């Protein structure tokens, strides 16, 4: 048997020799081998069952059942010699352990199917029993995780109440899960990570809803559980809660306990915790301790936030040298941002430009911009803080900061600091120095020159030097045509010159360059309003309102435009919104009262006019309206207070004192009315209205002074007639017409105090009349001679009670009821020209 085995001799180098040798038994005539030919002809290549009888190996007697060991023994003989391919005389076919893929002992005629696809689809998997305890536990665990995720998503959407409800539900389900595991006696399989996630999320949601005590209790449960690894770091969150509660001592305690739990290898986390400790020291006013902590942070892991806070601490301590040194260290902090050149386009590399379009504004690029912007903000703020303190003047301090910035990697910020220096001059009301500083940028690069020219144009515009403002606006536009601020300034200049169409074009160009330029959009709305394109103006201000939600000026413009478009409902709604933003604006309250007055709602009109009077008690229009309201409501006594205040504000106006006397007459206090008229006559001896009332009251009361006042009245009327004749080029007018014209003239002065309107929404209101103007549904003050006014169709000199008919209110004069009134002007010396209108 071993003669066919080729052994490699030890001195033979080639271990692959002998493979071309073959057994001579293969030279037999296989064409006549029936077993071999039958095996070849089968479609599956399967050999037929052996036809030769197998010689028993274990001796005589009945043949036992075949075993694996037995088959190995029977196959040993042929495995060492010639392989048996069919039924041969006296040779047994070996039984092999590995069968060829796709072949079987199936009979001939079956299809080739190595993947057993002919048997049809595989039977379905056996479904697990859903009511098994293990499956219930798994489903409950999955539900808990879903609740935790929903809670986190609600928190990210700022739906804190919903997030808290989900977190609480997750906590209840997790406790139920633990109980079920305990019932299954599988306590060792409790998912600690799930328990930690549920408790941690619940504590965060409590803190987000400002339920600080509950949050602290939940954090305490986590921290005290020794089975949670690294749970001690959550003391940072507990320290944050104590910081919000202004419990600074406990806040520092928990920050330090958390710091002890963080390994020294985690430098960034340790630096953040120490920053929190330093901020607490700053809040407590312990600047020395804060300096010690921040110095350690700047030595271990310097960053812009810690450097800026350290500068503030040294500023509070008044240490100039340390401020300078820390500012230099702040400039040396690394941004850790890749080179900006990779964002520059390559004209010859189209593939790179395609990649550049993708990464130009991706998330990484935005993060880099934010980091750079924050660093520049810290440097700028630090320069503003230390500039007045490190040198004798803030100008010298700014110069030192500019020199330090020029030698750092933030070279571009030097020009910004110079412009900021000019702004500081403006805050100190030193316009000349500001202008000189800005003019020094005229010969610098285009961007800086454009910024400086824009500020100069704005300065000259504030000083009402429109020509200079226009000049520097042109300079700014020439340096940078895409500068929206320069275009807005140019539009403002041409607007002041009355060229509204050109102004509109500049504002629209500014909006095309920068769609978020709110100044251009606001001024464009004002331009449309000026040329009476109210719908376009309203569209502009509604767009602006979407950007500036709580701007009082924008809301006022929208309300005023709706009022001009006669949409009273919308105007009222927007004025109500405006009052919600500026509840103490007297002018807005008066406007809303005016709208209600026009609608005939006197109650609401009185409420808003009275609120306006409370906040601005010197507004003559509001005082006049309130006085007229009380007179119209038959409460003349209350109207006296308002007219007396008006007389104090405008002592040279006789009409307010006449209204006080008229209120006394209407209330029946004739003696007080007489004293008031006498006082008015002493101050205004030639006022005919006062004399007329004195004559009639004296006649009513039976006083002998009536004739003296009548004589003075005739002289005053003749003197006024002479003045009117000179003014009207010689045409004589009747004294009765003269009285009417004078009365109308005194009424026309009521709306002349519009300049006293206050509030933040004055723009665009100059063209509207006073709140006491006459019109449909408007409250109107009665003429001072109204109580004695007879019908104009038929002249009647009888006395007319100012309080109305007897059925409404009893007369207070001495005349008996039912008695015919006497002719009060029976004396011929008075003349018919003294009759009222």
């Amino acid at each position: 048997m071993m003669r066919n085995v080729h052994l490699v001799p030890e001195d033979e180098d080639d271990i692959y020799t002998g493979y071309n040798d073959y057994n001579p038994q293969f030279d037999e005539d296989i064409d006549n081998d029936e077993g071999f030919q039958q095996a070849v002809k089968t479609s599956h290549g399967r050999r037929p069952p052996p036809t030769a009888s197998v010689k028993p190996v274990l001796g005589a007697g009945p043949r036992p059942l075949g075993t694996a060991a037995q088959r190995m023994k029977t196959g040993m003989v042929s495995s060492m010699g010639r392989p048996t391919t069919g039924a041969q005389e006296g040779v047994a076919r070996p039984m092999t352990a590995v069968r060829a893929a796709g072949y079987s002992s199936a009979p001939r005629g079956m299809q080739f199917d190595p993947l057993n696809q002919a048997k049809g689809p595989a039977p379905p998997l056996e479904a697990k029993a859903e009511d098994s305890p293990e499956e219930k536990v798994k489903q409950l665990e999955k539900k808990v995780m879903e609740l935790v995720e929903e809670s986190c998503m609600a928190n990210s959407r700022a739906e804190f109440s919903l997030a808290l409800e989900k977190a609480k539900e997750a906590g209840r389900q997790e406790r139920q899960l633990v109980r079920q595991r305990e019932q299954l006696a599988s306590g060792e399989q409790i998912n600690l990570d799930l328990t930690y996630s549920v408790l941690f999320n619940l504590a965060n949601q409590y803190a987000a809803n400002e339920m600080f005590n509950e949050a602290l209790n939940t954090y305490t449960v986590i921290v005290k559980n020794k089975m949670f690894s690294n749970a001690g770091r959550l003391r940072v969150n507990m320290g944050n809660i104590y910081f919000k509660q202004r419990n600074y001592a406990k806040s520092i305690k928990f920050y330090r306990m958390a710091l002890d739990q963080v390994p020294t290898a985690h430098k960034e986390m340790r630096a953040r915790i120490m920053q929190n400790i330093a901020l607490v020291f700053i809040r407590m006013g312990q600047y020395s301790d804060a300096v010690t902590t921040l110095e350690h942070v700047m030595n271990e892991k310097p960053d812009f936030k810690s450097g800026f806070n350290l500068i503030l601490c040294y500023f509070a301590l008044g240490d100039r040298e340390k401020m300078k040194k820390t500012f230099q260290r702040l400039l040396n902090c690394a941004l850790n941002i890749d080179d900006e050149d990779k964002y520059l386009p390559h004209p010859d590399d189209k593939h790179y430009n395609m990649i550049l379009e993708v990464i130009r504004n991706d998330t990484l690029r935005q993060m880099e911009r934010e980091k750079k912007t924050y660093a520049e903000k810290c440097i700028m703020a630090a320069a503003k803080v230390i500039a007045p303190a490190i040198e004798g003047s803030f100008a010298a301090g700014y110069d030192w900061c500019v020199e330090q910035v020029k030698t750092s990697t933030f070279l571009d910020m030097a020009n910004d600091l110079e412009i900021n220096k000019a702004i500081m001059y403006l805050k100190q009301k030193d316009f000349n120095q500001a202008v000189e500083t800005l003019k020094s940028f005229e010969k610098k690069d285009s961007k800086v020159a454009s910024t400086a020219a824009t500020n100069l144009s704005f300065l000259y515009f504030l000083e009402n030097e429109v020509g200079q403002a226009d000049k520097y606006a042109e300079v700014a536009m020439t340096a940078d045509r895409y500068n929206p601020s320069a275009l807005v300034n140019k539009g403002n200049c041409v607007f002041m010159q009355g060229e509204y169409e050109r102004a509109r074009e500049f504002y629209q160009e500014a909006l095309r360059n920068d769609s978020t330029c709110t100044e251009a959009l606001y001024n464009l709305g004002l331009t449309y309003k000026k040329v009476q394109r109210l719908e376009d103006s309203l569209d502009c201000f509604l767009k602006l309102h979407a950007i500036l939600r709580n701007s009082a000026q924008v809301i006022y413009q929208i309300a005023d435009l709706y009022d001009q478009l006669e949409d009273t409902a919308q105007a009222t709604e927007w004025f109500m919104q405006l009052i919600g933003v500026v509840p103490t604006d007297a002018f807005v309250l008066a406007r809303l009262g005016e709208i209600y007055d026009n609608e005939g709602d006197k109650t609401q009109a009185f409420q808003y006019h009275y609120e306006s009077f409370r906040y601005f008690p010197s507004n003559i229009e509001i005082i006049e309206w309130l006085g007229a309201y009380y007179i119209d409501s038959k409460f003349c006594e209350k109207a006296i207070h308002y007219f007396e205040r008006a007389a104090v504000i405008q002592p040279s106006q006789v009409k307010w004192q006449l209204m006080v006397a008229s209120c006394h007459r209407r209330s029946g206090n004739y003696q007080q009315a007489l004293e008031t008229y006498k006082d008015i006559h002493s101050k205004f001896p030639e006022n005919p209205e006062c004399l007329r009332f004195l004559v009639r009251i004296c006649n009513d009361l039976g006083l002998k002074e009536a004739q003296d006042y009548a004589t003075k009245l005739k002289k005053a009327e003749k003197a006024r007639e002479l003045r009117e004749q000179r003014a009207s080029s010689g045409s004589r007018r009747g004294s009765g017409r003269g009285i009417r014209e004078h009365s109308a003239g005194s009424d026309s002065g009521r709306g002349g105090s519009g300049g006293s309107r206050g509030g933040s929404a004055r723009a665009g209101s100059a063209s509207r009349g006073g709140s006491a103007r006459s019109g449909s549904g408007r409250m109107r003050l009665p003429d001072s001679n109204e109580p004695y006014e007879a019908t104009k169709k038929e002249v009647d000199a009888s006395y007319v009670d100012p309080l109305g008919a007897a059925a409404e209110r009893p007369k207070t004069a001495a005349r008996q009821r039912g008695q015919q009134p006497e002719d009060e002007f029976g004396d011929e010396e008075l003349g018919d020209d003294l009759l009222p209108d």
Side-chain angles (χ1 to χ4, degrees), residues 366-597:
Q366 292 176 4
M367 186 186 70
E368 291 176 351
R369 286 200 192 105
E370 290 176 0
K371 290 180 66 176
K372 186 175 181 181
T373 302
Y374 181 76
E376 292 176 351
K377 181 181 178 181
C378 289
I379 294 172
M380 186 70 70
K384 289 181 182 179
V385 170
I386 68 173
I390 58 177
E391 300 291 343
S393 64
F394 89 94
Y398 261 104
D399 293 339
W400 182 87
C401 292
V402 169
E403 292 299 325
Q404 296 300 319
V405 170
K406 286 181 179 179
T407 59
S408 68
T409 56
F410 299 93
L411 178 61
D412 297 337
M413 293 187 61
N415 294 326
D416 296 335
L417 283 174
E418 289 282 357
I419 293 177
N420 193 40
K421 178 181 176 182
I423 295 175
M424 291 297 295
Y425 278 125
L426 287 179
K427 291 182 178 180
Q428 296 182 358
K429 308 298 182 182
D430 194 347
F431 289 93
N432 295 328
Q433 287 291 338
V435 170
E436 290 181 4
T437 305
L438 292 173
K439 284 183 178 180
S440 64
F441 290 93
E442 292 182 3
K443 297 182 180 180
K444 294 194 176 182
D445 60 88
S446 59
K447 184 177 180 180
V448 178
S450 178
T451 304
T454 302
N455 290 332
L456 281 171
S457 176
F458 178 68
L459 285 178
Y460 283 119
F461 188 82
L462 290 180
E463 293 181 343
N464 205 22
E465 297 183 17
V466 181
Q468 289 291 329
D470 193 9
K471 170 187 172 183
Y472 282 100
E474 287 286 351
V475 172
M477 291 169 55
T478 304
D480 184 6
R481 183 69 186 187
Y482 297 99
N483 185 354
S485 299
L487 292 168
V488 170
N489 287 347
K490 180 65 177 179
N492 293 343
C493 293
V494 297
F495 183 93
M496 294 298 294
Q497 296 169 2
E499 302 179 19
Y500 302 120
E501 287 300 320
R502 286 189 63 199
R504 178 181 61 82
E505 293 175 0
F506 283 116
Y507 296 143
Q508 289 177 339
E509 185 178 354
L511 286 173
R512 285 194 295 270
N513 294 337
D514 183 7
S515 59
T516 62
C517 184
T518 56
E519 295 84 358
L521 190 57
Y522 186 89
N523 292 349
L524 181 61
L526 291 181
T527 305
Y528 281 134
K529 188 177 180 182
K530 191 72 175 179
V531 297
Q532 293 302 310
R533 294 173 59 177
L534 301 182
E535 294 290 346
D536 294 332
S537 178
L538 181 61
D539 184 57
C540 291
F541 286 115
L542 287 175
K543 290 179 181 178
L544 191 59
H545 178 66
I547 302 173
L548 306 175
R549 303 295 300 180
N550 295 321
S551 174
Q553 290 84 357
V554 175
I555 298 176
Y556 170 78
Q557 294 294 341
I558 295 173
D560 185 59
L561 285 167
Y562 275 123
D563 193 18
Q564 293 188 35
L565 292 170
E566 298 182 356
D567 191 345
T568 307
Q570 286 290 336
T572 303
E573 180 181 350
W574 282 96
F575 273 121
M576 291 294 292
Q577 291 186 27
L578 182 57
I579 290 175
V581 177
V582 281
T584 60
D585 193 317
F587 173 69
V588 176
L589 292 167
R591 279 294 301 275
L592 191 56
E594 180 183 342
I595 292 174
Y596 281 118
D597 192 13

Side-chain angles (χ1 to χ4, degrees), residues 606-620:
F606 170 75
Q607 176 184 350
Y608 286 106
H609 277 95
Y610 182 73
E611 288 295 320
S612 176
F613 172 76
R614 285 180 58 236
Y615 292 115
F616 187 26
S618 301
N619 192 337
I620 292 295

Side-chain angles (χ1 to χ4, degrees), residues 725-746:
Q725 287 177 359
R726 298 191 190 97
S728 60
S729 66
S731 60
R732 178 170 181 149
R733 298 180 181 180
S735 61
R737 179 175 173 80
I739 294 175
R740 287 195 299 272
E741 290 178 353
H742 180 73
S743 175
S746 67

Side-chain angles (χ1 to χ4, degrees), residues 268-339:
E268 185 172 356
M269 182 177 291
R270 292 180 64 87
R272 288 178 178 272
I273 297 175
M274 295 186 73
Q275 285 178 359
N276 290 359
I277 295 174
L279 289 177
V280 177
F281 279 132
I282 292 174
R283 285 294 184 90
M284 297 173 66
Q286 301 178 11
Y287 300 112
S288 300
D289 296 331
V291 164
T292 303
T293 306
L294 291 172
E295 284 285 0
H296 180 74
V297 174
M298 290 296 289
N299 292 330
E300 293 292 329
K301 193 172 181 61
D303 63 290
F304 291 95
K305 183 177 180 180
S306 300
F308 178 70
N309 290 334
L310 186 56
I311 289 176
L312 293 180
C313 292
Y314 282 129
F315 177 80
L317 296 173
D319 195 334
R320 294 187 177 184
E321 295 301 323
K322 290 294 181 63
M323 278 189 279
K324 289 183 177 181
K325 181 179 178 181
T326 309
F327 185 77
Q328 293 172 343
R329 294 172 66 183
L330 183 66
L331 294 175
N332 293 328
C333 290
L335 274 174
N336 297 323
I337 295 178
D338 292 339
D339 191 4

Side-chain angles (χ1 to χ4, degrees), residues 123-129:
L125 297 175
E126 183 180 355
K128 294 183 179 180

